Amino acid sequence: MLCLGLESTAHTIGAGVVDGRCRVLANELESYVPPEGGIHPREAANHHAERVVPVIRAAVESAGVRFSELDLVSFSQGPGLGPCLRTGATAARSLAVSLGLPIIGVNHCIAHLEIGRGATGARDPVLLYVSGGNTQVIAYMAGRYRIFGETLDIGVGNLLDKFGRGMGLAFPAGPKIEKLALEYAAQNESGGRVPGAGSPSPSPGASIVTRPPAPGPVPAPGTRHPAPGYLPLPYSVKGMDISFSGILTAAEVRRREGVPVPQLCFSMQETIFAMLVEVTERAMAHVEKDEVVLGGGVAANARLRQMLGRMAADRGARMFVPEKRLCIDNGAMIAWLGILMHRSGVRMPVRGTRIRQRFRTDEVEVAWRD
Amino acid sequence: MARLRKGARRMAQGAEAELRLVDWMGRKAVAKRRVPKPYRLPELDRALRQSRTRLEARLLRLSRLAGVPAPLVYDVDLADDSCTLTMEFIAGEQAKRLLNRLPLPAARRLSRQIGEAVGRLHTGGIVHGDLTTSNMLLSGGTLYFIDFGLGAATGELEAQGVDLRVLKEAFGSTHAHIGRCFDDMMAGYRAAYRSGAEAERRLREIEGRGRYSDQVEG
């Protein structure tokens, strides 16, 4: 069985071709990069509308198949940005109708989890799904993929981009933040160590309590020189949920106080990744699973992988990370979930393929697992 | 979360802490140690474990002051490799088990007692954070609340609503006479907490949100 999957929830338009054994025959994608600032849904949708046909053609060509050999078309039904979703859905319907193929709309978040299972061999994992718009801890329980923890405000990728913009780093800011943080950790001796390297010896004289910076007048830039090393930022874990709202403001206040950007990047990463790993561990203990899959664009961050992998190892669990092109938004994962759903008997009339901007992970009845 | 199961005669290991049954000056006591997490930066790890140990000790004390019995804290050790709370061992039976085995009238009385205790807790500006019937122990007619590890000192309606949501789930998943017992619990809650009706409205609002609707226990 061959399925062509279309992804268009946010800034990426992607088309993938996957077979019934989860072999990725093609995975083509193009991303909309705004000239400045953040993503504008309509402009991203215009980009997708212009690029969707070339991307589909490229996928079919690089898969080495003919359109007539496809058996199924699937697409991201949600959650995502309305105009972007509609563009992808329209293309998928046109393709399915013109080829006379069945069509299936799939949940984008579940697609991340299923490609994680399909590509890595994880059997029953907890997924830490970290992208621009989504930050969720998902696991299978009693016929559904349930959310055991999530952000109460913005996604972690979104946080990194907003933080980066405030620090003068262009979109996408994640890789630049990672690089600066790594360089800072390597250079800075008094504040600790290269993360993960060496033994966790306490830094001399450190007595740090995590709390937001004290309110009060903001000093002029450069008037304060904080001690080097890790700078406490608000750490907000509520049960299995996390909140990022205070941390952005705190970082910007610190910047105005004269804290160097690399030190902030380092402290930001250490704080938010610790939050993510903590809620993931809590979910793993709660649902008693010993596998964890990392997915989403932020999965590319080496420090996050290192921390999650350490947590997993310490509890005798295994971590899996799919290759980068299957972690980020892509069409192959959409194709694979389309196959799983189709095999389990799911059929959708074209009328039933309306997009769903707020499509919840736990709404989908999972008929393809026992 | 670490949790004392079946009276804590054996060690328990949660995501965050380990529990041991110890002797404290001739008394049976529970030592809850927040273990270091090597995945995070040592200074951050230490700060978190220390502040949470401190907070839990404070919540246990506040709970007693609010009229809700909770283990007496014997010792707080904030040394980096320790972060241990040593507290009174409560020899009691879990409300979860009692509700399952008691005849309906007694189960209903216990449910009301639970509701009143939660009402006093919320009146006192404390949310428990993991309000399941496994975290309530009945000992000699006294109802104790244990494990405040996810709690907070807050009077926020949202946090109270989440507390009730967790409790409702616990009632629904384990107790057969859920409807009547839960109603009795809520009646006790409203009687003990002036803003109880408001918190109950917030509970319904929370249940209306996608994540919580149509969810089984967990």
Side-chain angles (χ1 to χ4, degrees):
Chain A
M1 175 169 226
L2 282 182
C3 179
L4 186 139
L6 269 185
E7 158 62 29
S8 70
T9 51
H11 50 66
T12 298
I13 177 82
V17 179
V18 172
D19 74 5
R21 295 167 61 187
C22 199
R23 279 188 302 213
V24 177
L25 307 182
N27 195 15
E28 297 293 322
L29 46 92
E30 286 186 26
S31 286
Y32 169 71
V33 179
E36 59 175 342
I39 183 173
H40 190 298
R42 195 186 53 230
E43 280 156 19
N46 287 343
H47 164 267
H48 296 350
E50 276 173 26
R51 301 306 305 160
V52 63
V53 172
V55 167
I56 290 174
R57 281 193 195 287
V60 170
E61 193 173 306
S62 83
V65 299
R66 276 187 279 264
F67 278 101
S68 59
E69 292 175 77
L70 296 173
D71 302 294
L72 179 66
V73 174
S74 63
F75 71 98
S76 274
Q77 201 168 6
L81 305 171
C84 301
L85 288 169
R86 272 187 284 274
T87 304
T90 306
R93 286 181 207 117
S94 318
L95 190 64
V97 169
S98 65
L99 296 173
L101 294 177
I103 180 170
I104 286 187
V106 312
N107 180 292
H108 174 91
C109 304
I110 296 180
H112 274 286
L113 194 142
E114 286 299 350
I115 197 69
R117 289 176 70 217
T120 67
R123 296 164 64 94
D124 185 19
V126 167
L127 171 73
L128 172 59
Y129 168 33
V130 279
S131 68
N134 295 294
T135 299
Q136 301 180 339
V137 180
I138 306 171
Y140 178 76
M141 202 172 90
R144 308 238 165 178
Y145 281 116
R146 297 181 193 278
I147 300 172
F148 287 90
E150 65 187 316
T151 173
L152 297 170
D153 34 64
I154 58 174
V156 62
N158 200 334
L159 167 80
L160 288 170
D161 283 330
K162 281 189 173 149
F163 166 72
R165 215 176 303 148
M167 302 297 128
L169 308 170
F171 174 92
K176 302 175 185 87
I177 294 168
E178 180 178 5
K179 187 161 171 282
L180 288 172
L182 190 65
E183 286 168 6
Y184 182 79
Q187 284 165 11
N188 172 53
E189 290 189 8
S190 62
R193 65 232 64 77
V194 181
S199 64
S201 59
S203 55
S207 169
I208 295 161
V209 179
T210 43
R211 67 165 81 96
V218 177
T223 54
R224 238 182 84 177
H225 299 284
Y230 174 72
L231 193 78
L233 291 167
Y235 187 100
S236 184
V237 168
K238 301 176 180 178
M240 290 198 207
D241 293 328
I242 48 189
S243 163
F244 294 124
S245 54
I247 197 168
L248 194 61
T249 317
E252 277 160 9
V253 169
R254 295 302 216 164
R255 176 71 195 124
R256 285 198 297 275
E257 288 174 355
V259 176
V261 172
Q263 185 178 7
L264 278 173
C265 290
F266 171 72
S267 305
M268 172 68 85
Q269 281 203 161
E270 291 301 320
T271 307
I272 61 178
F273 292 166
M275 287 162 63
L276 292 170
V277 175
E278 179 178 349
V279 292
T280 308
E281 178 170 28
R282 212 165 260 174
M284 289 173 77
H286 184 76
V287 298
E288 296 175 356
K289 295 190 197 284
D290 58 5
E291 293 173 326
V292 59
V293 167
L294 182 59
V298 185
N301 189 298
R303 177 62 178 146
L304 176 59
R305 290 181 192 209
Q306 182 188 45
M307 288 170 72
L308 193 72
R310 180 66 203 260
M311 179 275 284
D314 284 345
R315 35 182 315 112
R318 294 175 69 195
M319 177 184 71
F320 301 86
V321 189
E323 60 163 297
K324 191 181 168 196
R325 274 176 87 86
L326 295 177
C327 274
I328 58 178
D329 288 353
N330 67 87
M333 68 179 190
I334 303 301
W336 175 233
L337 181 52
I339 288 178
L340 291 173
M341 290 175 70
H342 187 81
R343 269 193 204 148
S344 75
V346 176
R347 301 289 182 271
M348 285 184 190
V350 173
R351 272 189 311 284
T353 58
R354 211 168 288 157
I355 60 139
R356 306 180 56 189
Q357 292 184 59
R358 295 177 192 277
F359 199 174
R360 296 279 312 180
T361 302
D362 46 21
E363 282 177 54
V364 179
E365 253 182 77
V366 179
W368 58 93
R369 287 185 60 166
D370 39 50
Chain B
M1 247 349 278
R3 181 171 303 162
L4 288 170
R5 293 188 197 281
K6 295 180 185 142
R9 294 196 191 282
R10 57 170 188 221
M11 198 191 82
Q13 169 79 60
E16 197 185 4
E18 62 180 31
L19 294 176
R20 278 175 306 134
L21 199 57
V22 298
D23 177 87
W24 196 83
M25 298 195 180
R27 292 165 195 257
K28 225 186 224 188
V30 175
K32 177 173 185 174
R33 174 173 175 258
R34 286 186 158 77
V35 294
K37 294 290 173 187
Y39 64 78
R40 59 191 171 202
L41 213 58
E43 50 265 54
L44 172 61
D45 183 54
R46 187 187 323 125
L48 288 172
R49 286 184 295 113
Q50 287 173 341
S51 67
R52 286 171 182 180
T53 304
R54 216 183 281 126
L55 175 67
E56 191 172 359
R58 197 170 137 240
L59 291 173
L60 286 165
R61 182 174 154 272
L62 286 175
S63 173
R64 294 168 70 91
L65 290 175
V68 178
L72 195 60
V73 176
Y74 294 148
D75 188 37
V76 182
D77 178 0
L78 294 179
D80 181 32
D81 55 352
S82 180
C83 281
T84 300
L85 209 57
T86 307
M87 60 195 134
E88 182 184 4
F89 171 76
I90 310 290
E93 188 169 4
Q94 281 183 345
K96 176 179 179 174
R97 289 155 58 106
L98 283 165
L99 287 171
N100 278 330
R101 75 169 173 82
L102 289 175
L104 186 59
R108 291 184 60 180
R109 277 197 299 278
L110 177 59
S111 299
R112 180 161 177 112
Q113 199 182 349
I114 291 173
E116 287 168 355
V118 177
R120 285 198 296 276
L121 211 58
H122 287 180
T123 302
I126 308 157
V127 294
H128 182 277
D130 192 14
L131 207 49
T132 66
T133 45
S134 335
N135 280 334
M136 301 166 193
L137 301 176
L138 195 69
S139 172
T142 304
L143 184 69
Y144 287 83
F145 281 28
I146 59 167
D147 195 356
F148 284 73
L150 290 176
T154 173
E156 274 176 37
L157 214 52
E158 174 75 14
Q160 293 167 356
V162 172
D163 250 3
L164 293 177
R165 167 69 210 172
V166 173
L167 187 54
K168 186 176 180 180
E169 244 171 51
F171 267 80
S173 63
T174 45
H175 310 308
H177 308 295
I178 180 231
R180 287 162 101 177
C181 283
F182 185 75
D183 291 346
D184 291 328
M185 194 279 292
M186 286 309 297
Y189 179 72
R190 284 190 303 267
Y193 179 35
R194 266 170 61 180
S195 308
E198 236 178 301
E200 196 178 358
R201 270 198 297 281
R202 183 59 69 100
L203 160 67
R204 281 197 294 272
E205 189 196 311
I206 291 168
E207 287 176 324
R209 297 178 200 159
R211 172 168 167 201
Y212 295 98
S213 55
D214 186 36
Q215 188 173 333
V216 300
E217 195 214 3

